DNA sequence: GACAATATTAAGTAGCTACATAATAATGAT
DNA sequence: ATCATTATTATGTAGCTACTTAATATTGTC
């Protein structure tokens, strides 16, 4: 008995992918139309469509109506980062998560925060600074501004007990998120809090979230020395 | 005339997404089955399926056969990074790209490179060190090891003229890519080459690529001070 | 030749049926 | 009660038809 070709769209995708890898289809080339590929590979057009959609999502092919499918001239490396809540990240390393509130107060937003939020004038916002620990050791420093207009209930929360990272993600879903990654030199404040040396190179993630165009929060997370962010692909 | 509901799967997706955002479906909740949702929203099950597939890809819902669709307890922030070839990146900033080869030689792989490649014993590999410029200013320092077993033709290439980043991406597609991001303090070598000060915090990207389980290349790219990596989502 | 109007084309979408598969739930034997 | 077996179920996939849409080609006019 024939073991049934089980033409999953993944096999079709991999078959086309293999032809890209082995240069049957090289940069700039135009691929056959879906219908023809379907016939060549012995499957339905909808299966090729699904395979192509995936390849297109990964940036391996470019598709245009009427224009057909082509291999892009300049390949782009696409990486997906998964950033869990900090407690989970610590626990996944097999460590015990700890949390300390450093400061929480209402303040006028400085210019750089206004810029991140896309606001023309300063507003009063809740600034929360806190330290995350892994096995009692400093792990991440969190410097956060929360828009109290978008998150009204937030002023009632005791961030000495609740961790702002987790509280916001659980209670205030977002529909847009901007992130940026860079390196800074540890100043006195960061060095003290993170048990680092003055001048150490620290990895920083800036993140701003919105809901319906309204800024929710912007946070600067400074990692302790040695931190590495890895892709999961 | 009714303007026709044009039930695109995107509208269905957004309708479900809206119900997640407004807490109709909260963390831990189980959603109705696709068939029921389809009836509720007035579309076919296949349309709900497509919408759900997308929400699932974004980590907004978790789907399991028989188990149904649920909102995950701990939301994960998923960010997609697009890393173009360096020349493109420089040009996109409106600057002129320049390239200088620093050194290219055949060497035994040290332990850390072996580890990245997943090799038990050292091999002889091609090490290429080069500097990328933006408007004559140092932009990125590239320290690369190329596996000459996987990329045999590479020994013939004159990397004083051709830029390794581009040559490899164009001539040696990969099917697996690991990346990691971190910060380092500029040593004397980096400071000199990148026109930085000794001890400056520098942003680093490590990248290793494979084809059919065989390592192709591993590269450490050190950015000049001020570099930021941003998400495009 | 230059440009606007029109036709054609290949991907995209919606909806359908039928079946596969992996979990979970129910059942039965010990 | 415990464990293995079997049934059930909701999602996943393959394939089909029909129609839409955005580009690109073609044609026609000046």
């Amino acid at each position: 008995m024939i073991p049934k070709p089980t033409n999953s769209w993944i096999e079709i995708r991999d078959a086309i992918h293999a032809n890209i890898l082995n240069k049957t289809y090289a940069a700039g080339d135009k691929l056959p139309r879906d219908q023809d590929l379907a016939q060549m590979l012995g499957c339905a057009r909808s299966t090729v469509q699904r395979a192509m959609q995936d390849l297109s999502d990964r940036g391996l092919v470019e598709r245009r109506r009427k224009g057909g499918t082509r291999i892009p001239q300049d390949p782009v490396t696409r990486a997906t980062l998964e950033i869990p809540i900090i407690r989970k990240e610590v626990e996944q390393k097999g460590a015990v998560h700890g949390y300390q509130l450093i400061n929480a107060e209402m303040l006028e937003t400085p210019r750089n925060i206004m810029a991140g939020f896309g606001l023309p004038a300063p507003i009063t916002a809740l600034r929360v600074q806190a330290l995350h620990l892994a096995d009692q050791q400093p792990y991440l420093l969190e410097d956060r501004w929360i828009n109290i207009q978008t998150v009204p209930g937030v002023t009632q929360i005791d961030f000495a007990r609740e961790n702002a990272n987790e509280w916001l993600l659980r209670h205030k879903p977002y529909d847009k998120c901007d992130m940026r990654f860079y390196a800074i030199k540890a100043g006195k404040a960061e060095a003290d809090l993170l048990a680092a040396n003055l001048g150490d190179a620290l990895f920083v993630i800036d993140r701003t979230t919105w809901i319906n165009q309204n800024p929710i929060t912007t946070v600067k997370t400074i990692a302790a020395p040695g931190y590495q962010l890895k892709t999961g692909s």
Side-chain angles (χ1 to χ4, degrees), chain A residues 182-187 190-191 194 196-197 199-204 222-226:
Chain A
Y182 55 96
I184 61 164
K185 262 171 103 158
E190 292 93 16
L194 288 170
N197 297 313
D200 271 357
L202 303 176
F203 185 78
V204 183
I222 308 176

Side-chain angles (χ1 to χ4, degrees), chain A residues 2 50 53 55 76 207 215 222:
Chain A
I2 300 155
R50 229 168 312 179
Q53 202 51 257
L55 292 171
V76 174
R207 189 171 6 169
I222 308 176

